[in-house]
């Protein structure tokens, strides 16, 4: 692999000093003259007609500037994206989950707004509720959307070959049902926005959004104004993980700003964040696999019921899950069916992994069951059957790079895989086990034209540069890694690159930070923009060297005459020289856009060692080894940080993160960090993260997407390790001490 | 002339509603968490050594966070531009005018900062002073800069032919000395900035600057950091007129922010604005012209002494003045010498017209004297002798367009020129007169590469567009007119264009708003950027129409197949269609830059009718007719607004604006709007503004620069009208009632 100067280096994030010193400004820090504060009144019922909303007392409260409810809110559907037909009107005639919006107040302070919403009197007519998607699918179930015939919001089918024929050819057939939970994103920063209409009808929105440009379009559509009148700016960002792909608060702020002529800020409380935004979809996964004695697969059939909650926000994960279930392993016959089902719960949305953590939990647990039955080593089994180079990826394009074999080899060594077959270690009532799982995840979305970035770069008179990217840095460090790509390609240091990003006013369009694609898409755009500006610099070099541009060659930041290589000039010298001669007056600019058409998957393997307390059901994860091939790591520290963060979420997904719902009312009972158990630094197991670098030919400097991949492998690796420890197979997430205790003691698991 | 849809229309400024409703945010409105406020301690002496600065008491005042003085300020020269060797250190060992900076305090409030500067004890050693530049040039004059041998900061010479030979061939020789005053800019918004260093050493500056990109470079140079670490943002802007080309407060805020780790705001008071920033240079102009009986000129010799004040900021006006003096009329022999002389006064800087108002006062008064002597009509004389098409412009390039003849014809009619030769009207002691003057002004500066703009444009998914320009809108309406250019070229409405500008984070470089060049330079860049994006749209159209791009032709926003013109699609349809199919995902981007190499001059004629009260010396301007050829007026209302604003300044320059200095101390005695007589709306004469449109081939849609031109012609037109009224020639500005009274009564004029 080529040696780089800036790329591949462990450089600190360019915004780290601001963040660690507390000076970085987030959306919630925004203060504008005359700004109002909004608070939302939410439904206490999971399903009810809103008969009457009396806001008169609230309106009379001094300091209240506007109240919006079904009495005066526009009856306009809230757009989600062009792929999803909107089914939501905000402040509707009906509420469909505990937390649904009933009214909102804009007032001179949060306190006044809070007081005002308590003065609003609402008359509800309660309706029958349904929380279980299997119940909701049944005829006669309470209908959640009156304009629809049933509670099925949509379905998806895919497959090839003949699965029934495949099952006939199988030596063994495995069948199991897996259930996953509706994990909460638990971002440090809740959903928040400030919206400000100016007197000319132009709207500026500061928002904690992952998609400034898409949000700009959604706001224009909802408010029925041209996109040219909307500017979206994403300040520093306190975590999204998919929760901030959707317009949940911005349109409400915008309506209030238009009503009042004031800027309006809305910051959700932690309770609202947990119980009135979006979560990972809870799935019921039926999986049936046929296999021959030699371990080759003959058929995979998967069936998923997705609990969509009250509104349909993201059908996408169900497709990703399907591809994860049937397209991870080589198999001639496969069939997938998925159903999106409305229930009276908070809606499902995008969450890191986007359907794949659910699918991986099922498929990788099932593979463990198969290998045990066949007596094949799980690692060996994957080496034989996992889709690799030459196979097709999730988007049915050839896989160009995979470092999976090396991930598996290194992982075995680091976890001490040879210990797994031997008698399990046990200290008194504590039993130890080792398990593993593979994972794969595509880069970007294969939805036409949703995988798109643009960038522009300006060379400053002193030879430094300014990079403008539409891409939103979500705290992932993308501004740093993208600047590294620019610096490397331009042959200057990272310090010499200034960055603006995440602002629709920059004109460098970007589809947003999701689908593990920012580095890949925006990175390719940045590299191309730099190549564009280098071409322009080359023309100037030709003048300087008194040669024709075509007589020149460029290498390692130096331009020279092909015939006489000693006659040359570095970019930096050239820019500096040109700048010195004409201070302040050089403007080399480059611009490029990149559309993803390859969607290269990244691969990984995770190994877990656990200790199960058989008296209490408590699982201690002793160690996780996570190895990944993400192509070239542009900044290994950033990549490792992403893996470590994903593991924090995926260990929690496996064991502790459990939204508890009141079975009668559907109300979330633990909407806070005290009772919803997100792992803290002290709770984290020992983790060993390793990068197996390949060179993805379509990626910037060989890089592929990486940040979702690691969340996919952990839950099954832990489940497989628990099985290895105690011989009980768990098929429902999270694997709480109570469930394990019950299973070990022979009680019913639910 | 072609008919346009958006260009040439009287559309309201896009930011007018924000401004008239008071919602537009200016630099002084900026509030940042933890922001400190700065106040400057200034010298009471025009020339003194600073022996000792004791800041200890100020530092102990609660709320004071930093004090900067010669004790701790960096001894770094404050850069001006690459063309001007810096001669200023801020907080120096010596003060050189009343108002020079001695110390600055950053504190938690303005009040604390104000209190703190009064606690600073300074020991001065007074030095001899010199205010008159002729005195300052003499051997033995007090030396203002110890490291220089004399008080002459620089000189300039130009000419061609042989003036002495020219004078020998003349029938008459005219010689006169003209004196002009140091007019103050009197912007509504004083100089102000907020500077904020982040913890990573990156600086963001919000500033009322005309040149965001140049200021970015100046700050980087002064602070010794790479340009990539500096971002300059220009919020709404309350008037510059040239005063905000220079870094007068931003570096001080930046130093204080670096010291304290806090954002720091500095807003100059009105008194500081008047007495401690920059002014129009006061000139002493010696002019000698040889002329034949037929009115042809044989020689022009001009000599200018420019009072630069304490520091050299802008040598440029002296060159502009020289070209204005010797290159406005056809003449085979010409010679110019100009001297920049240091004095112990506030420095001269850039001011609308940039040397030309001074030059025009002299040359156009002199032409009036010549025509009277020769008995030629002043209008006729100009038609014969003024440089027009075929002649060379100020930059010695051929003049491509001039509507001067039509301006003169229309002006004669509108003022009632035929009344001028007849007995003057007089009502008792009041005598009426009519006078006129021509004016010319180049578009942009011919300094290599200082005349440069870039722009980029992004087509939104709904067919609207976002325009990003480096150009700073100074309240001139350039954002509106540039958006009109984009809209016209793109074939969409003005409402469908969003604009960001004046931010070095936009990456569209721009040299700044000065030299009447924003519309011309940035307009050309905007037009080229739109052409670039249209080319990309054309490629997509080729796909859509199933034709090769080269088989297509585009006209009036419609693309069609050359061979079958009925088969086509409009841009708007195409964008809309593409967008509908792929919501949020289309990113047509265009980018371009433009370098000015033509500098086309604009031409105008102004006619004034005045009434002089011979008892009091009071002059009432009854009417001004101002006609201009600025090429195509992109937005006639905007152009007329610029002319009206210029006339407000130029009538004041002629008659009332008079900075009164204490003859002993050099202190300005009227640094406020009560005593420095800027004309109010009620004081303004009746004005008739007319546009004579030509089509400048190098300009965007035929436009040329326009905003400085009208300030050049008024003072001589009024002086000529006064002469016509009372028969006395005034050669010194402003022509105050006292001077006129003295002249009419036969007293010494000074």
């Amino acid at each position: 692999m080529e040696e780089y100067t800036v790329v591949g280096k462990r450089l600190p994030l360019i915004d780290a000093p601001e963040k660690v010193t507390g000076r970085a400004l987030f959306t919630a820090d925004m203060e504008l003259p005359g700004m109002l504060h909004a608070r939302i009144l939410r439904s206490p019922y999971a399903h009810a007609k809103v008969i009457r909303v009396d806001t008169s007392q609230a309106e009379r409260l001094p300091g209240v500037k506007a109240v919006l409810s079904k009495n005066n809110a526009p009856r306009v559907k809230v757009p989600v994206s062009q792929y999803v037909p909107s089914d939501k009107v905000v402040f509707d005639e009906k509420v469909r989950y505990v937390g649904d919006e009933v009214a909102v107040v804009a007032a001179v302070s949060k306190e006044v707004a809070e007081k005002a919403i308590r003065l609003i009197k609402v008359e509800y007519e309660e309706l029958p509720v349904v929380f279980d998607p299997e119940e909701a699918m049944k005829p006669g179930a309470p209908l959640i959307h009156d304009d629809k015939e049933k509670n099925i919001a949509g379905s998806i089918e895919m497959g090839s070959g003949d699965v029934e024929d495949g099952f006939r050819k199988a030596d063994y057939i495995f069948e199991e049902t897996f259930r996953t939970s509706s994990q909460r994103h638990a971002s440090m920063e809740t959903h928040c926005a400030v919206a400000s209409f100016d007197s000319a009808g132009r709207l500026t929105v500061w928002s904690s959004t992952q998609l400034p440009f898409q949000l700009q379009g959604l706001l224009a559509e909802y408010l029925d104004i041209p996109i040219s009148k909307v500017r979206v700016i994403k300040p520093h960002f306190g975590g999204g993980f998919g929760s901030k792909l959707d317009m949940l608060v911005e349109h409400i702020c915008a309506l209030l700003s238009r009503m009042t002529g004031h800027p309006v800020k809305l910051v959700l409380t932690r309770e609202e964040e947990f119980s009135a935004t979006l979560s990972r979809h809870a799935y019921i996964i039926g999986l049936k696999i046929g296999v021959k004695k030699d371990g080759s697969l003959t058929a995979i059939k998967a069936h998923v019921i997705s609990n969509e909650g009250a509104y349909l926000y993201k059908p996408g994960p169900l497709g990703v899950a399907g591809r994860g279930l049937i397209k991870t392993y080589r198999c001639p016959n496969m069939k997938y069916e998925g159903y999106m089902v409305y229930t009276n719960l908070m809606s499902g949305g995008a969450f890191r992994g986007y359907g794949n953590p659910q699918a991986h939990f099922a498929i990788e647990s099932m593979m463990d069951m198969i290998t045990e039955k066949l007596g094949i080593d799980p690692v060996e089994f994957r080496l034989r059957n996992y889709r690799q180079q030459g196979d097709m990826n999730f988007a049915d394009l050839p896989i160009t790079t995979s470092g999976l074999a090396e991930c598996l080899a290194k992982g075995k060594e680091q976890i001490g895989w040879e210990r797994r077959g031997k008698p399990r270690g046990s200290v008194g009532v504590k039993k130890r086990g080792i398990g593993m799982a593979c994972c794969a995840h595509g880069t970007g979305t294969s939805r036409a034209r949703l995988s798109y970035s643009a960038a522009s770069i300006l060379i400053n008179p002193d030879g430094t540069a300014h990079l403008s990217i539409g891409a939103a840095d979500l705290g992932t460090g993308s501004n740093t890694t993208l600047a590294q790509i620019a610096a490397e390609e331009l042959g200057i240091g990272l310090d010499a690159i200034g960055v603006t990003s995440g602002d629709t006013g920059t004109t460098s369009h970007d589809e947003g930070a999701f689908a593990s694609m920012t580095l890949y898409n925006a990175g390719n755009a940045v590299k191309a923009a730099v190549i564009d500006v280098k071409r322009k610099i080359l023309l100037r070099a030709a003048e300087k060297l008194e040669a024709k541009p075509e007589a020149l060659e460029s290498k390692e930041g130096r331009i020279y005459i092909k015939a006489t290589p000693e006659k040359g000039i570095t970019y930096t010298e050239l820019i500096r020289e040109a700048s010195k001669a004409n201070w302040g007056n050089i403007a080399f600019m480059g611009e490029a856009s990149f559309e993803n058409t390859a969607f290269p998957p990244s691969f990984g393997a995770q190994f877990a060692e656990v200790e199960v307390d058989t008296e209490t059901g408590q699982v201690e994860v002793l160690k996780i080894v996570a190895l990944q091939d993400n192509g070239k790591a542009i900044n290994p520290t950033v990549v490792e940080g992403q893996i470590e963060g994903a593991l924090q979420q995926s260990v929690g997904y496996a064991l502790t993160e459990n939204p508890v719902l009141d079975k009668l009312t559907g109300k979330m009972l633990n909407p806070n960090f005290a009772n919803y158990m997100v792992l803290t630094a002290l709770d984290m197991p020992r983790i060993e993260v390793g990068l197996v670098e390949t060179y993805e030919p379509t990626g910037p400097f060989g890089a592929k997407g990486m940040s979702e991949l690691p969340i996919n492998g952990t839950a099954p690796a832990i489940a497989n390790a628990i099985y290895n420890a105690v011989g009980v197979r768990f098929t429902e997430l999270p694997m709480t001490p109570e469930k394990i205790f019950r299973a070990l003691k022979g009680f019913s698991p639910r």
Side-chain angles (χ1 to χ4, degrees), chain A:
Chain A
M1 211 176 286
E2 216 179 321
E3 250 321 299
Y4 300 122
T5 309
V6 188
V7 156
K9 300 298 182 231
R10 294 180 176 278
L11 299 171
L13 296 195
I14 56 178
D15 56 0
E18 280 167 277
K19 285 189 176 161
V20 297
T21 56
R23 292 200 43 201
L25 291 183
F26 292 77
T27 301
D29 296 320
M30 288 296 306
E31 295 292 339
L32 292 173
M35 192 174 77
L36 304 176
H37 298 262
R39 286 286 288 128
I40 294 174
L41 177 69
R42 297 182 179 278
S43 168
Y45 300 109
H47 201 189
K49 279 189 190 160
V50 183
I51 304 296
R52 210 172 64 92
V53 183
D54 177 0
T55 60
S56 55
Q57 262 193 280
E59 278 161 20
R60 282 198 299 269
L61 186 70
V64 170
K65 299 291 180 186
V67 183
L68 258 182
S69 70
K70 80 181 186 91
N71 302 336
N72 57 345
R75 301 206 54 76
V76 173
K77 301 253 180 178
V78 178
V80 180
S81 86
Q82 79 275 38
Y83 298 116
V84 185
S86 178
D87 59 17
K88 167 142 191 163
V89 169
V90 70
F91 313 118
D92 205 355
E93 300 283 343
K94 194 170 153 178
V95 287
R96 296 177 177 84
Y97 76 101
V98 175
D100 216 349
E101 296 94 344
V102 176
V104 66
V105 169
V108 294
S109 72
K110 274 186 291 188
E111 293 68 28
V112 172
E114 181 68 39
K115 201 169 169 186
I117 61 170
R118 293 176 193 189
L119 295 174
I120 297 172
K121 288 174 199 142
V122 187
E123 188 184 326
Y124 296 98
E125 178 188 319
E126 279 189 77
L127 297 168
V129 297
V130 60
F131 306 129
D132 182 311
E134 287 174 311
E135 291 299 320
M137 288 172 88
K138 287 181 186 162
L143 195 60
I144 294 168
H145 290 271
D146 303 339
D147 58 342
K148 296 190 167 64
E149 283 173 22
K150 48 187 181 176
N151 289 325
I152 297 177
S155 65
I156 182 169
E157 267 188 56
M158 60 177 94
S160 61
D162 178 341
V163 280
E164 296 315 322
D165 186 55
F167 286 125
R168 278 192 294 274
K169 288 174 180 159
D171 293 322
Y172 302 101
I173 292 177
F174 295 81
E175 195 162 7
E176 189 60 74
T177 299
F178 298 88
R179 287 168 192 273
T180 68
S181 62
S182 63
Q183 188 181 21
R184 300 302 197 252
H185 302 81
S187 303
M188 296 281 278
E189 178 192 38
T190 63
H191 284 74
C192 52
V194 178
S196 179
F197 263 102
D198 72 14
S199 318
R202 281 181 303 255
L203 172 65
T204 303
V205 172
W206 292 262
S207 163
S208 178
T209 176
Q210 298 181 228
L211 324 159
F213 284 88
Q214 288 202 42
L215 176 59
Q216 182 194 31
L218 295 175
L219 283 164
E221 188 178 337
Y222 182 71
L223 300 164
D224 195 23
I225 55 177
I227 294 177
S228 53
K229 295 212 179 268
V230 183
R231 181 176 180 181
V232 174
I233 300 169
K234 179 209 67 66
H236 280 287
F237 190 88
F241 312 112
S243 69
K244 292 168 180 171
L245 300 186
D246 293 285
M247 184 169 74
L248 300 183
V249 294
E250 295 85 353
H251 55 312
I252 296 173
C253 293
L255 287 178
L256 292 169
S257 176
R258 190 152 67 177
M259 281 175 80
T260 59
H262 287 263
V264 175
K265 185 197 273 190
L266 174 55
V267 181
L268 296 193
T269 63
R270 181 58 58 190
E271 181 174 342
E272 287 176 302
E273 186 71 14
F274 269 113
S275 58
T277 58
L278 302 169
S279 71
R280 188 187 297 289
H281 291 93
Y283 282 175
I284 302 165
I285 305 174
L287 186 58
K288 183 175 173 186
I289 295 185
V291 62
K292 283 187 179 282
K293 284 179 182 164
D294 67 357
S296 58
L297 307 186
T298 61
I300 305 179
K301 190 177 172 184
H303 179 278
V304 172
I305 295 171
S306 169
N307 191 336
E308 293 298 325
Y311 302 98
L312 179 65
Y313 272 94
K314 288 280 171 284
L318 200 59
V320 169
R323 290 186 284 275
L325 285 164
I326 68 173
K327 294 188 179 180
T328 308
Y329 286 86
R330 292 181 202 122
C331 181
N333 307 298
M334 47 200 185
K335 185 166 169 54
Y336 172 71
E337 282 175 13
Y339 294 92
M340 302 160 229
V341 183
Y342 289 122
T343 61
N344 291 118
L345 294 176
M346 184 170 106
S347 297
F351 193 152
R352 195 176 203 167
Y354 208 68
N356 247 337
Q358 297 97 315
H360 275 67
F361 174 60
I363 189 89
E364 290 296 287
S365 292
M366 187 73 112
M367 291 305 164
D368 213 55
M369 293 157 69
I370 292 171
T371 55
E372 190 192 30
K373 178 83 178 177
L374 300 183
I376 305 177
D377 179 81
V379 173
E380 177 59 27
F381 179 85
R382 275 144 176 118
L383 278 172
R384 280 194 225 159
N385 291 297
Y386 215 82
R387 293 198 186 191
Q388 297 293 289
Q389 279 107 321
D391 295 318
M392 293 297 166
N393 68 16
F394 296 130
D396 296 323
L397 296 165
I399 295 170
T400 45
T401 48
S402 167
L404 185 69
E406 196 180 333
C407 289
L408 288 168
K410 285 193 168 171
K412 275 174 74 170
E413 197 183 317
Q414 284 178 240
I415 200 73
W417 185 248
E418 73 289 350
R419 295 184 295 129
R420 178 176 174 274
K422 296 175 187 162
R424 288 153 200 141
S426 64
V427 184
V429 296
K430 295 188 176 177
K431 293 190 184 299
R432 290 188 176 186
I434 293 174
M436 63 80 61
C438 282
C439 47
H441 203 90
T443 302
T445 164
S446 52
R447 285 272 188 194
R449 299 197 185 289
L450 259 178
S451 227
Y452 189 102
S453 281
S456 60
I457 190 157
L458 172 72
I459 308 298
N460 296 321
D462 63 355
T464 62
H466 183 80
L467 180 65
S468 172
I469 40 184
D473 188 334
L474 307 184
T476 57
S478 63
N479 277 1
T480 304
T481 46
L482 293 171
Q484 282 181 270
I485 287 171
E488 182 69 45
E489 185 63 38
L490 201 53
I492 61 179
L494 179 61
D495 240 30
I497 304 268
V499 182
T500 45
S501 76
D503 177 352
T504 64
T506 61
T507 69
S508 290
H509 189 95
D510 187 274
E511 278 304 315
F514 64 101
S516 298
M517 72 191 185
T518 297
L519 179 74
Y520 181 84
N521 290 1
N524 271 316
V526 165
K527 196 163 186 279
V530 174
I531 288 169
D532 184 47
V533 79
K534 274 164 66 175
R535 184 181 52 78
K536 293 168 185 169
I537 296 172
L538 199 75
L539 291 176
R540 190 84 60 146
E543 259 176 55
K544 174 77 192 165
L545 298 173
E546 294 170 337
K548 287 184 179 165
E550 53 272 24
L552 299 181
E553 209 162 54
S554 158
K555 206 176 175 181
E556 291 167 4
R558 184 172 173 274
I559 306 166
Y560 52 88
I561 300 171
K562 268 182 259 186
T564 51
E566 67 283 1
K567 203 183 163 195
I569 185 166
T570 64
Y571 290 133
T572 319
E573 284 165 0
L574 182 73
I575 298 161
R576 291 239 169 91
E577 186 150 322
S579 303
K580 251 185 241 163
N582 302 290
W583 189 97
N585 312 302
I586 284 294
F588 289 123
M589 281 176 66
E591 173 261 318
S593 56
F594 174 81
E595 196 176 340
N596 184 358
T597 54
F599 322 106
S602 286
F603 296 94
Q606 293 190 14
F607 293 77
E609 183 168 7
V610 301
E611 186 175 81
V612 183
D613 186 322
T614 56
E615 286 289 290
T616 63
Q618 188 76 39
V619 175
E620 187 184 353
V621 180
L622 300 172
K623 180 175 176 178
I624 289 182
V625 174
L627 292 148
Q628 283 195 203
D629 156 34
N630 315 114
K632 174 73 184 169
I634 302 298
N635 185 327
T637 308
V638 168
V639 177
E640 289 167 5
Q642 283 294 309
I643 299 174
E644 288 164 10
L647 291 175
Q648 185 268 355
Q649 292 178 309
S650 58
V651 175
Y653 186 52
L655 299 175
T656 62
E657 294 192 36
N658 195 22
V660 181
L661 303 177
D662 184 292
K663 284 194 171 55
L664 284 178
T665 64
K667 184 178 160 70
M668 185 176 176
L669 299 174
N670 57 343
N672 54 61
F673 283 128
N675 297 308
Y676 181 89
M677 305 302 281
V678 168
L679 298 189
T680 68
L682 288 177
D683 300 324
M684 280 294 286
R686 176 176 163 202
I687 55 181
E688 288 181 14
V689 167
L691 305 181
V692 170
E693 290 188 314
T694 58
Y695 188 93
E696 168 56 37
T698 66
F701 294 105
K704 297 189 278 194
M706 60 76 44
S707 62
E708 289 176 285
L709 174 67
I711 207 168
N712 299 336
T714 317
I718 289 174
N720 294 342
I722 292 173
Y723 181 81
N724 183 245
V726 297
V728 179
R729 171 67 52 191
F730 289 92
T731 57
E732 184 177 318
L733 293 179
M735 299 175 286
T736 58
E738 185 186 345
K739 286 180 197 163
I740 292 171
F741 173 83
R742 283 174 166 273
L744 291 176
K745 300 296 175 192
F747 297 134
S748 144
R750 301 183 76 198

